[in-house]
Amino acid sequence: MPAIPDRPSAKSRVALVVGADGFLGGFIVAALRARGWRVLRGVRQLNGADDERCTDLARMHAPQDWQAALANVELVVNAAGILRECGAQTFAAIHVEGPLAMTKACIEAGIPRLIQISALGVAADGDFIASKHRFDELLVALDPQALVLRPSVVYSSAGSYGGTSLLRALAALPGVVVLPGDGRWLLQPIAAEDLGILVVRAAEGDQRGIYQVGGPQPMSLREYQTLWRQWLRIPGQVAFSVPEWLVSIQAWLGERLGRGPVGETMWRMLRRGNLPEAGALDRLREDFDFVPRTLQAALAQRPSQVQDRWQARLYLLAPVLRMAIVLVWLLSAVAGWSAPADAIAALSAESAMHNWPVVMLARTTAVLDFILAAWLASGWRPRWSLALMALSVLAYTLVFGCLVPALWLEPLGGLVKNLMILPALAVAWVLAERR
């Protein structure tokens, strides 16, 4: 993280960062703590840490719901947000109703400073932007001292989130840089660390109103991707353009299925161009005495490591691995149901399992395989389904390997393949944690 410019010390004042466990929230927490603030992390579910406070925007829609969270707080930073709606996590609840109740509670409690992290764009891009901007306007009307920061694309060499993870993965493909469209669209990316510095400056200053935030110069998506590929130290700059109509189909499907890092809103924002309005950076320089770094400068200050290339390349391999596992379990289910009873009985005829109800056992495990495949395909708690798959494979391997040892020597591998499937399940379990 770049050094925070000298300002008067915060002297251990208390800040609450709502959405502290998110991508932006983590950098804001780090920047405030580096400046001497005592930071309380606002999270949806408490995990027992001393610095946590419950800030569940989906259900805390009355000012009194926020009294405990705001006790002894002098600064509130709202960095919470969702890219897609899911159940109670709606744009209205997370971006408007919950923050509005929080704002009213801050005013009642006499909290002097409230900073909102919004997003650059226009309401026509989609409900994500429209709901963010709706609250921005309500906030500055309710609290004239409040500050809203609307950043362009936010990146960090230390990590990524959603669309920036996808872009980094596309920049890391072997032999070619993949571009949505021809990569002509402009953006003005800002480092998450620099956004954290702006929040610190705002926490200790008197800026108010709405600020559009971006890096010091615009660049095309093609330039953005090329710089990331060079930083990752991956040779080759040949670009492959994915037709816009094909990306539009993917975004449309992702929106309906609730899957994938790029939905229709992000796709519209990208094609429109994500640039602050004229004069926005001059205003930022004058009021904050700070200008964010260029992407080149930010990347030059942190050389990439092999782990960065792992993350970029595994990002696209993770869903492929998951789909392959689902397919293997579905085929296993079909095989268990369609195999003739005589063939199943013949496998155990001369083994310690010759008196077992092997046909019923085969059919039962086929049902279990189908259930686990459907569970993993649904995306609900994937680590649970992967853990159960690993336990079932381990059980099959131990039981059948000991009782029917001939299965180890089958011409097409038999039980031997489980020695590869188990670590593959372990890798999929690790990669299930992704943003």
Side-chain angles (χ1 to χ4, degrees), residues 139-158:
L139 173 61
V140 295
L142 280 171
D143 182 0
Q145 304 301 316
L147 174 73
V148 176
L149 298 176
R150 290 179 175 174
S152 181
V153 173
V154 182
Y155 67 88
S156 174
S157 59

Side-chain angles (χ1 to χ4, degrees), residues 16 18 63-64 66-67 69-70 73-77 99-115 139 143:
L16 172 69
V18 181
Q64 58 266 29
W66 289 87
Q67 290 176 354
L70 298 176
V73 168
E74 300 168 68
L75 165 70
V76 174
V77 182
L100 185 58
M102 179 188 68
T103 301
K104 293 177 179 177
C106 287
I107 294 172
E108 291 176 5
I111 294 174
R113 198 67 166 139
L114 201 159
I115 301 172
L139 173 61
D143 182 0

Side-chain angles (χ1 to χ4, degrees), residues 26-150:
F27 286 99
I28 292 169
V29 168
L32 287 168
R33 284 179 172 166
R35 188 61 188 156
W37 286 80
R38 180 189 168 214
V39 181
L40 300 172
R41 296 184 303 112
V43 296
R44 191 169 38 172
Q45 292 183 332
L46 298 176
N47 294 310
D50 293 338
D51 65 345
E52 289 180 338
R53 288 197 179 172
C54 180
T55 57
D56 188 349
L57 292 166
R59 63 178 182 84
M60 296 170 65
H61 292 167
Q64 58 266 29
D65 296 335
W66 289 87
Q67 290 176 354
L70 298 176
N72 303 316
V73 168
E74 300 168 68
L75 165 70
V76 174
V77 182
N78 179 29
I82 55 172
L83 296 176
R84 286 197 180 95
E85 296 181 314
C86 181
Q89 302 286 308
T90 65
F91 292 129
I94 304 302
H95 293 169
V96 182
E97 295 167 11
L100 185 58
M102 179 188 68
T103 301
K104 293 177 179 177
C106 287
I107 294 172
E108 291 176 5
I111 294 174
R113 198 67 166 139
L114 201 159
I115 301 172
Q116 157 79 352
I117 308 300
S118 185
L120 192 62
V122 298
D125 288 333
D127 289 340
F128 166 74
I129 292 293
S131 58
K132 280 280 190 181
H133 289 192
R134 190 178 310 129
F135 172 67
D136 296 347
E137 293 162 2
L138 290 170
L139 173 61
V140 295
L142 280 171
D143 182 0
Q145 304 301 316
L147 174 73
V148 176
L149 298 176
R150 290 179 175 174

Side-chain angles (χ1 to χ4, degrees), residues 3-15:
I4 297 176
D6 290 337
R7 303 288 300 258
S9 174
K11 295 182 180 178
S12 298
R13 292 163 61 189
V14 181

Side-chain angles (χ1 to χ4, degrees), residues 288-299:
F288 289 84
D289 190 26
F290 179 73
V291 177
R293 294 165 295 169
T294 63
L295 175 60
Q296 295 94 322
L299 295 180

Side-chain angles (χ1 to χ4, degrees), residues 127-387:
D127 289 340
F128 166 74
I129 292 293
S131 58
K132 280 280 190 181
H133 289 192
R134 190 178 310 129
F135 172 67
D136 296 347
E137 293 162 2
L138 290 170
L139 173 61
V140 295
L142 280 171
D143 182 0
Q145 304 301 316
L147 174 73
V148 176
L149 298 176
R150 290 179 175 174
S152 181
V153 173
V154 182
Y155 67 88
S156 174
S157 59
S160 58
Y161 173 82
T164 57
S165 292
L166 175 62
L167 290 175
R168 192 180 300 193
L170 294 177
L173 289 172
V176 65
V177 178
V178 174
L179 297 171
D182 59 8
R184 68 184 183 278
W185 302 297
L186 297 177
L187 53 149
Q188 213 153 322
I190 176 174
E193 295 88 344
D194 289 349
L195 183 62
I197 290 176
L198 285 173
V199 170
V200 170
R201 289 262 170 165
E204 300 172 5
D206 58 1
Q207 302 89 348
R208 65 190 69 177
I210 299 175
Y211 286 79
Q212 295 186 355
V213 180
Q217 61 190 39
M219 63 174 55
S220 69
L221 180 62
R222 180 186 290 264
E223 292 172 313
Y224 180 85
Q225 291 295 84
T226 299
L227 286 171
W228 278 106
R229 188 175 184 88
Q230 292 172 351
W231 178 76
L232 288 166
R233 292 183 258 179
I234 298 175
Q237 296 185 19
V238 176
F240 173 76
S241 297
V242 179
E244 291 184 37
W245 63 267
L246 189 58
V247 182
S248 296
I249 290 175
Q250 182 276 321
W252 184 88
L253 287 173
E255 200 72 37
R256 272 70 189 170
L257 296 175
R259 299 285 185 84
V262 178
E264 291 180 307
T265 297
M266 298 299 109
W267 181 224
R268 292 190 200 102
M269 290 172 65
L270 184 62
R271 286 182 293 172
R272 186 187 298 277
N274 204 241
L275 302 175
E277 62 189 15
L281 289 186
D282 291 335
R283 185 180 175 216
L284 206 65
R285 183 184 298 107
E286 293 171 3
D287 293 358
F288 289 84
D289 190 26
F290 179 73
V291 177
R293 294 165 295 169
T294 63
L295 175 60
Q296 295 94 322
L299 295 180
Q301 291 175 7
R302 181 185 174 272
S304 69
Q305 305 298 323
V306 66
Q307 292 86 349
D308 297 304
R309 291 187 287 280
W310 287 353
Q311 190 274 339
R313 286 173 162 167
L314 285 172
Y315 186 80
L316 293 177
L317 288 176
V320 174
L321 177 59
R322 183 180 295 190
M323 287 187 290
I325 292 172
V326 169
L327 182 59
V328 167
W329 255 252
L330 286 175
L331 291 175
S332 178
V334 170
W337 270 106
S338 61
D342 292 344
I344 297 173
L347 285 173
S348 60
E350 298 181 2
S351 71
M353 297 178 63
H354 68 279
N355 288 326
W356 289 30
V358 290
V359 175
M360 181 181 296
L361 183 62
R363 306 304 190 221
T364 301
T365 55
V367 172
L368 176 62
D369 286 344
F370 179 82
I371 291 173
L372 290 174
W375 184 352
L376 183 59
S378 74
W380 182 76
R381 296 188 182 277
R383 283 187 161 178
W384 289 17
S385 57
L386 288 165

